[in-house]
């Protein structure tokens, strides 16, 4: 945007420099006459009247490059003790004499010329130098027709008033440009470094490049020596070709700043601008002015278009910083147009708005870019916080999921327990119930009530086994030793009541684990066998041995009763179910009569635990 | 003529069955005081003579039998109190023992088994089974730290002796008092005395504490 300003300043520079407001014209005669490059004294002939200052001799003598002497007269009234001479500028170099006395002479009066086009001057005129009445100022100016050669506004008058004018002009022409140059350099370096460290911030890069490309133009307003060039034309070429290049950089910055990429249009734009720059450099001496004017016009049109586009981007859903910067750059265009119109005489106000808005624009651009940068930093920091929060949230969700999973597992386990309980009920009670119901259905009167009672007791005993097992499992007591204890306790008491000596060898079973169903089957077999002994054997002593070895689990129930009946009767349901359970246990069940009593033996080899 | 027996159960069938069993043990119907609720039980206790024994069901319509057990125990430290309970109330059985019950018997058991327990309690015995032995051992092992469902509230009044722990271990294995007596080379009455001592140490010593203990475990509303 300050590029826009500079462009305006440039255009203004090419046109006659606008006079400061309220500076009265020269009160006296003004004449001009041409002389050769090496002339040291005003020519005798060829003087022409000059209407007013500033004067651009190219209008009077088109295409004239060389030296022009200006001769100004004024009538000075006493008192003479506070008189000063003020010259706003001359283009490019020259010398000033008052009443024949030399006041100043620039270093280079022939090529390469000193560059004094932007240097206001002020001299106190002491009484011996001037006199009451007629006085004369002679100004020798070296210049080129193409670069608005001539003399700027000049005035003689009260020293104090003119000093104030000089100071304010000094600030406008030099001070403000020094500040602008310093700011431009600083900001340029800052964003260059930012871009070097973060290459993805392309907008910053273009902004920095734009600032550096513009440097020659900024320096041009301050330089008074032709260095480093050996001709005025070289200087002018440089400052001219920088304009389209800067405009290119500015356009790229606007596009990138608004997150736009227009590859084809960008190529076209750059082609035009580079062509313009090349043309400026390569144009013949006579065509330079035309080339520059065209390049400037092109640049101005591009800047206008880009800034309109900028406004469009910014106010069609752009960010606040984009809006701000778009408005600022638009205001600089307005200031530039104002200044041009003022110079062209279309509007009366000739105040130069561009210089100030340019500086403000540059600072606000830097402000916006820096703000943008800081905002990104902040978002990154915010992102970290957000990330932490999201991680915490994810952890919570994970924990919740795991909890749900655990609950599901517990539920599955419970369902599993229920199913296995149902199995247990079906295997035991179910079979007995069905058997007894069948017996009753065949002929209720044939079933003695004694037998019915036994059947019911059997059912109750099985239920008790299931209940005891379930209760023990509820407390996590699942080893065979723990599951056996209730049965052992119950049976021992029962046998004691009948005065039968029941002896158990069932130690070291705390580390033996069977599945739920297997444990129940084993306990049912033991219960059935003991009940049979109690009912039929008429024994005095019963020994139960449950022994576990690495090879097998063995249950032996030995009684000293009457032994098995010698005539094998049809095996009862109790015996059949004992055999069925033994098969399910993958065990062998044998029942044998001994010399005295009988032996029930259940042998269950352990599966190979390879 | 012996002292009467208090029978508290809200199931008439169970009352009939208990009457029959008691009759077989030599207690005539005239010696029985039947109650169907905590209130009736207390009324009998307040109204008349000392009892020889009390049989208390835990699930009563107007409150928990545990409360009645505690109440009775507070009135008479020597009264044998047998808790009659249905299955699935084993947690309550331990609560009843802590409230001062002398023993318990499950309703599903044979008449024979119930009469064995009755005779045992009437003679001042203390029936115990592997399940309760394990619960008491768990209570001892967890100490004062109340945790899990094994913790039945307050720790024991006194620590168990080594012999008492031995006896509980043996009961937990399913051994009968006779077997324990033989194994430890002591007499059966000594075993009974040890079990009684265990129950005494288990019992919280006031009715308030008993109620508190009961409430803490959701045994009382």
């Amino acid at each position: 945007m300050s590029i826009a300003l500079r462009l305006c300043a440039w255009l203004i520079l090419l046109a006659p420099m606008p006079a400061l407001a309220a500076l009265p014209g020269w009160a006296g005669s003004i004449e001009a006459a041409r002389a050769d490059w090496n002339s040291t004294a005003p020519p005798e002939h060829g003087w022409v009247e000059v209407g007013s200052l500033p004067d651009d001799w190219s209008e009077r003598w088109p295409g004239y490059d060389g030296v022009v002497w200006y001769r100004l007269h004024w009538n000075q009234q006493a008192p003479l003790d506070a008189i000063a001479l003020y010259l706003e500028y001359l283009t490019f170099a020259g010398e000033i004499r008052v009443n024949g006395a030399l006041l100043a002479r620039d270093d280079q009066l022939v090529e390469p010329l000193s560059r004094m086009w932007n240097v206001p001057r002020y001299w106190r005129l002491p009484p011996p130098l001037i006199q009451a009445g007629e006085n004369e100022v002679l100004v020798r100016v070296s210049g080129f027709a193409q670069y608005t050669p001539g003399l700027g506004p000049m005035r003689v008058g009260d020293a104090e008033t003119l000093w104030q004018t000089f100071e304010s002009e000094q600030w406008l022409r030099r001070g403000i440009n020094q500040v602008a140059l310093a700011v431009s350099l600083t900001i340029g370096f800052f964003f260059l470094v930012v871009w070097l460290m973060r290459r993805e911030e392309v907008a910053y890069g273009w902004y920095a490049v734009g600032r550096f490309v513009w440097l020659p133009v900024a320096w041009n307003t301050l330089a008074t020596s032709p260095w480093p060039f050996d001709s005025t034309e070289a200087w002018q070429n440089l400052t001219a070709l920088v304009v389209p290049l800067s405009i290119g950089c500015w356009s790229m910055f606007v596009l990138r700043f608004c997150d736009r990429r227009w590859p084809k249009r960008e190529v076209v734009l750059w082609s035009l601008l580079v062509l313009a720059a090349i043309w400026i450099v390569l144009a013949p001496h006579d065509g330079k002015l035309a080339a520059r004017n065209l390049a400037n016009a092109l640049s101005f049109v591009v800047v206008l278009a880009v800034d309109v586009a900028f406004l469009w981007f910014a106010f069609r859903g752009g960010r606040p910083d984009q809006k701000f910067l778009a408005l600022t750059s638009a205001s600089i265009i307005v200031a530039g147009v104002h200044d041009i119109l003022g110079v062209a005489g279309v509007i009366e106000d000739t105040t130069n708005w561009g210089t100030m808005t340019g500086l403000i624009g540059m600072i606000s651009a830097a402000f916006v870019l820096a703000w943008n940068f800081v905002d990104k930093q902040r978002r990154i920091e915010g992102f970290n916080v957000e990330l932490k929060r999201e991680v915490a949230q994810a952890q919570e969700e994970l924990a919740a999921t795991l909890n749900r999973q655990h609950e599901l597992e517990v539920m599955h386990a419970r369902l599993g327990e229920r199913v296995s309980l149902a199995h247990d009920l079906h295997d035991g009670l179910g079979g007995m119930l069905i058997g007894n119901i069948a017996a009753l259905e065949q002929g209720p009167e044939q079933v003695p009530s004694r037998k019915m009672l036994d059947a019911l007791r059997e059912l109750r005993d099985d239920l008790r086994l299931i209940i005891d097992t379930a209760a023990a499992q509820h407390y996590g007591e699942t080893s065979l030793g723990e599951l056996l204890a209730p049965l052992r306790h119950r049976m021992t008491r029962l046998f004691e009541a009948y005065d039968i000596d029941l002896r158990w060898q069932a130690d070291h079973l705390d580390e033996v684990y069977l599945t739920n169903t297997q444990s129940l089957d084993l306990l049912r077999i033991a219960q059935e066998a003991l009940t049979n002994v109690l009912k039929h054997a008429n024994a005095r002593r019963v020994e139960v041995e449950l022994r576990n070895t690495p090879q097998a689990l063995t249950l032996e129930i030995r009684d000293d009763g009457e032994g098995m009946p010698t005539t094998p009767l049809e095996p009862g349901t109790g015996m059949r179910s004992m055999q069925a359970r033994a098969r399910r246990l993958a065990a062998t069940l044998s029942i044998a009569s001994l010399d005295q009593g009988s032996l029930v033996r259940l042998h269950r080899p352990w599966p190979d635990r390879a | 003529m012996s002292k009467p027996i208090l029978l508290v159960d809200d199931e008439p069938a169970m009352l009939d069955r208990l009457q029959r069993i008691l009759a077989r043990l030599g207690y005539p119907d005239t010696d029985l005081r039947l109650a169907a609720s905590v209130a009736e039980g207390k009324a009998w206790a307040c109204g008349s003579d000392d009892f020889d024994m009390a049989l208390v069901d835990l699930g009563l319509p107007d409150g928990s039998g545990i409360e009645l057990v505690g109440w009775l125990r507070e009135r008479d430290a020597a009264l044998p109190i047998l808790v009659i309970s249905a299955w699935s109330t084993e947690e309550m059985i331990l609560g009843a023992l802590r409230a001062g019950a002398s023993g318990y018997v499950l309703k599903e058991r044979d008449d024979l088994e119930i009469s064995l327990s009755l005779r045992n309690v009437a003679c001042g015995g203390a029936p115990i089974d592997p399940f309760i032995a394990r619960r008491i051992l768990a209570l001892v092992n967890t100490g004062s730290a109340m945790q899990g469902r094994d913790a039945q509230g307050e720790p024991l009044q006194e620590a168990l002796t080594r012999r008492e722990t031995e006896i509980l271990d043996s009961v937990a294995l399913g051994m009968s008092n006779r077997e324990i007596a033989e194994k430890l080379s002591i007499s059966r009455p000594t075993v009974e005395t040890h079990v009684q001592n265990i129950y005494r140490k288990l019992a919280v010593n006031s009715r308030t504490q008993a109620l508190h203990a009961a409430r803490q475990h959701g045994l009382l509303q």
Side-chain angles (χ1 to χ4, degrees):
Chain A
M1 51 188 25
S2 76
I3 294 172
L5 149 78
R6 295 316 171 98
L7 175 65
C8 299
W10 182 247
L11 292 172
I12 290 158
L13 173 66
L14 292 176
M17 191 55 78
L20 265 181
L23 187 68
W26 179 261
S29 68
I30 310 170
E31 295 160 292
R34 287 178 282 184
D36 65 79
W37 279 108
N38 297 313
S39 122
T40 53
E44 296 290 324
H45 309 287
W47 291 96
V48 294
E49 194 76 21
V50 174
S52 66
L53 294 179
D55 178 58
D56 174 3
W57 80 57
S58 63
E59 291 168 11
R60 188 176 308 109
W61 301 301
Y64 174 69
D65 301 334
V67 171
V68 169
W69 288 85
Y70 285 90
R71 188 166 64 195
L72 301 92
H73 290 97
W74 86 95
N75 196 339
Q76 181 62 49
Q77 316 261 307
L80 305 174
D81 56 344
I83 303 299
L85 178 66
Y86 165 75
L87 173 60
E88 201 172 307
Y89 63 91
L90 54 78
T91 308
F92 278 93
E95 62 175 63
I96 297 100
R97 303 178 193 185
V98 172
N99 293 335
L102 183 67
L103 287 186
R105 175 183 286 146
D106 296 331
D107 294 338
Q108 293 283 336
L109 297 180
V110 294
E111 278 284 71
L113 294 174
S114 292
R115 304 183 61 78
M116 306 304 284
W117 64 274
N118 205 25
V119 182
R121 307 176 200 221
Y122 171 91
W123 299 272
R124 277 297 286 269
L125 301 178
L129 197 59
I130 53 170
Q131 58 239 326
E134 193 71 4
N135 291 280
E136 182 196 64
V137 183
L138 263 178
V139 184
R140 178 194 186 279
V141 180
S142 306
F144 293 94
Q146 290 186 58
Y147 309 124
T148 59
L151 188 63
M154 181 175 253
R155 208 189 145 192
V156 163
D158 176 51
E160 189 57 34
T161 315
L162 287 181
W163 176 253
Q164 281 168 11
T165 308
F166 167 72
E167 279 214 309
S168 108
E169 195 65 25
Q170 180 87 359
W171 165 247
L172 279 178
R173 285 178 177 272
R174 308 202 63 81
I176 208 166
N177 284 322
Q178 281 166 357
V179 172
L181 181 67
V183 171
S184 188
L185 266 176
T186 313
I187 291 174
F189 271 114
F190 174 72
F191 285 107
L192 181 69
V193 171
V194 168
W195 174 68
L196 284 175
M197 292 181 170
R198 284 177 57 82
R199 294 298 173 83
E200 60 270 36
E201 302 287 356
V202 185
Y204 296 159
W206 281 113
Y207 192 81
V209 171
R211 299 262 40 87
F212 289 119
V213 168
W214 190 252
L215 280 181
V217 177
W219 180 242
N220 180 44
T221 62
L222 295 170
T224 55
S225 138
W227 182 89
F229 299 103
D230 61 354
S231 75
T232 301
E233 192 162 282
W235 247 114
Q236 296 304 113
N237 280 347
L238 176 68
T239 52
L241 72 87
V242 151
V243 174
L245 297 183
S246 302
I247 294 307
C249 292
W250 169 249
S251 309
M252 295 305 291
F253 163 71
V254 169
L255 285 174
R256 297 294 179 267
F257 186 63
C258 295
D259 306 317
R260 296 293 201 289
R261 274 181 188 278
W262 289 346
K264 283 181 188 165
R265 272 172 273 192
E266 284 165 16
V267 167
V268 171
L269 176 73
W270 277 109
S271 307
L272 278 174
L273 295 171
V274 168
L275 270 178
I278 292 172
W279 187 27
I280 287 168
V281 175
L282 296 185
H285 180 76
D286 293 340
K288 293 273 187 205
L289 185 62
R292 270 207 317 272
N293 285 343
L294 202 84
N296 287 336
L298 172 69
S299 301
F300 190 73
V301 168
V302 170
V303 156
L304 212 58
V306 164
D307 279 353
V308 168
F310 196 0
L311 282 170
W312 178 261
F313 297 152
F315 286 90
R316 299 280 292 195
R319 301 189 306 263
D321 55 336
Q322 287 170 342
K323 287 178 188 162
F324 175 69
L325 205 54
L327 277 179
T328 321
S329 67
S331 75
I332 286 161
I333 293 292
V334 170
V337 171
H338 165 272
D339 290 352
I340 290 168
L341 292 179
V343 169
V346 179
I347 55 173
E348 283 189 10
D349 184 12
T350 54
T351 318
N352 190 338
W353 289 3
T355 320
M356 280 314 291
T357 48
L359 193 57
I360 293 168
M362 189 159 61
I363 291 169
S364 58
F367 169 74
V368 161
L369 289 180
W371 176 37
N372 202 282
F373 181 72
V374 168
D375 186 52
K376 276 181 184 156
Q377 284 298 115
R378 224 175 256 140
R379 276 215 300 268
I380 289 166
E381 285 158 13
F383 174 71
N384 284 338
V385 174
E386 204 176 313
L387 194 68
K388 273 185 198 158
R389 208 170 43 225
E390 276 175 14
V391 166
Q393 196 180 338
Q395 279 175 335
E396 276 172 25
E397 278 170 14
L398 189 63
T401 310
L402 287 177
N403 275 342
R404 271 200 301 279
Q405 210 173 329
H406 178 69
E407 280 167 18
L408 274 177
E409 277 167 10
V410 168
M411 207 170 76
H412 275 297
R414 284 201 187 127
L415 282 175
E417 277 172 21
R418 274 192 207 172
V419 169
S420 90
L421 183 64
H423 267 290
D424 295 340
L425 289 171
H426 171 263
D427 291 345
L429 294 178
M432 293 178 208
L433 278 172
I434 288 165
N436 287 315
I437 287 167
L440 277 172
E441 274 174 348
Q442 277 180 355
E445 63 285 346
Q446 289 166 11
V447 180
S449 64
R450 181 75 213 165
K451 194 166 179 189
M452 204 60 237
L453 198 58
D454 281 349
L456 287 174
R457 282 208 176 110
E458 203 182 344
L459 282 172
R460 184 203 53 202
D461 286 347
D462 196 70
L463 178 65
R464 189 176 296 168
L465 267 187
I466 291 170
I467 286 171
D468 283 345
T469 309
Q473 278 163 349
H474 176 67
Y475 285 94
E477 295 158 0
T478 52
S479 79
L480 194 55
E482 287 166 322
L483 293 177
L484 181 68
L487 177 71
R488 174 177 174 176
H489 174 79
R490 190 152 46 81
M491 285 299 164
T492 309
R493 285 190 72 190
L494 206 57
F495 276 66
E496 274 178 23
Y498 288 104
D499 210 16
I500 303 171
D501 194 7
L502 179 61
R503 298 279 160 175
W504 290 79
Q505 289 283 321
D507 300 331
H508 314 299
L509 293 171
D510 282 348
E511 297 300 319
V512 181
Y513 292 92
L514 294 172
T515 67
N516 198 20
T517 312
Q518 288 171 338
S519 301
L520 260 178
D521 281 337
L522 184 73
L523 296 178
R524 275 167 173 153
I525 290 169
Q527 176 168 274
E528 180 74 28
L530 285 170
T531 312
N532 285 341
V533 169
L534 192 62
K535 277 195 282 195
H536 309 299
N538 209 2
R540 302 308 309 158
R541 183 185 170 91
V542 180
E543 282 170 22
V544 182
E545 188 181 358
L546 187 53
R547 193 175 57 240
N548 184 47
T549 66
Q551 288 76 36
L553 184 67
T554 312
L555 171 71
E556 285 182 358
I557 298 172
R558 197 189 309 263
D559 70 81
D560 61 350
E562 292 162 0
M564 301 302 289
T566 42
T567 46
L569 296 171
E570 199 179 317
T573 49
M575 197 61 75
R576 271 206 305 273
S577 75
M578 277 170 77
Q579 288 289 1
R581 293 185 201 291
R583 274 196 299 280
R584 270 203 314 215
L585 268 169
T588 51
L589 179 72
S590 60
I591 300 162
S593 286
L594 303 174
D595 289 348
Q596 193 185 12
S598 58
L599 171 67
V600 175
R601 186 167 188 274
L602 180 77
H603 184 78
R604 180 184 189 275
W606 287 110
D608 275 342
R609 299 176 200 168
Chain B
M1 185 65 202
S2 55
K3 290 184 276 182
I5 290 181
L6 179 62
L7 267 177
V8 190
D9 199 312
D10 60 329
E11 271 181 71
M14 192 63 205
L15 282 177
D16 281 352
R17 188 175 165 210
L18 287 173
Q19 272 181 286
R20 208 170 56 241
I21 295 168
L22 284 166
R24 247 181 264 146
L25 287 174
Y27 294 95
D29 283 0
T30 48
D31 275 356
L32 303 184
R33 304 287 178 266
L34 306 184
S37 67
V38 174
E40 283 179 42
K42 285 183 181 176
W44 275 120
C46 292
S48 67
D49 26 33
D50 290 341
F51 294 117
D52 195 30
M53 183 163 57
L55 308 183
V56 181
D57 181 21
L58 288 185
L60 293 171
D62 61 340
S64 167
I66 292 177
E67 187 196 343
L68 186 58
V69 168
W71 187 84
L72 288 168
R73 173 59 68 228
E74 206 182 355
R75 285 170 60 89
D76 184 351
L79 176 68
I81 305 171
L82 187 69
V83 168
I84 312 279
S85 169
W87 178 69
S88 88
T89 54
E90 282 150 319
E91 301 257 354
M92 287 178 72
I93 292 166
L94 189 57
L97 290 174
R98 300 221 69 178
S102 318
Y104 78 96
V105 68
L106 295 182
K107 288 180 180 178
E108 296 87 353
R109 297 308 194 217
D110 261 334
D111 287 0
L112 175 63
E113 281 184 74
I114 292 180
S115 75
L116 284 176
S117 293
L118 275 170
R119 211 159 48 192
N120 191 338
V121 167
C123 300
I128 189 164
D129 74 6
F131 181 84
I132 287 297
R134 291 219 180 94
R135 299 285 81 72
I136 296 171
L137 284 170
L139 190 62
V140 172
N141 289 338
T142 50
S144 57
M146 297 171 17
Q147 44 183 288
R149 55 190 174 213
D150 284 338
Q152 290 289 326
E154 295 162 50
L156 301 192
Q157 301 282 315
E158 299 168 44
L160 297 182
T161 63
R162 200 171 53 83
R163 181 45 54 97
E164 284 160 0
T165 310
E166 265 175 348
I167 287 169
L168 283 178
D169 282 335
S170 303
V171 174
L173 279 175
M175 294 169 82
S176 69
N177 284 5
R178 183 180 53 77
E179 283 177 295
I180 294 168
E182 284 175 17
K183 180 184 163 196
L184 301 180
S185 306
I186 51 178
S187 69
R188 281 180 66 172
T190 311
V191 177
E192 295 275 354
T193 308
H194 280 305
V195 174
Q196 279 171 337
N197 282 339
I198 292 168
Y199 280 179
R200 186 178 51 75
K201 289 176 180 179
L202 187 65
V204 286
N205 60 0
S206 79
R207 182 166 154 262
T208 326
Q209 273 176 303
L211 288 178
H212 175 72
R215 266 197 200 98
Q216 205 166 21
H217 298 102
L219 309 177
L220 282 176
Q221 293 307 308

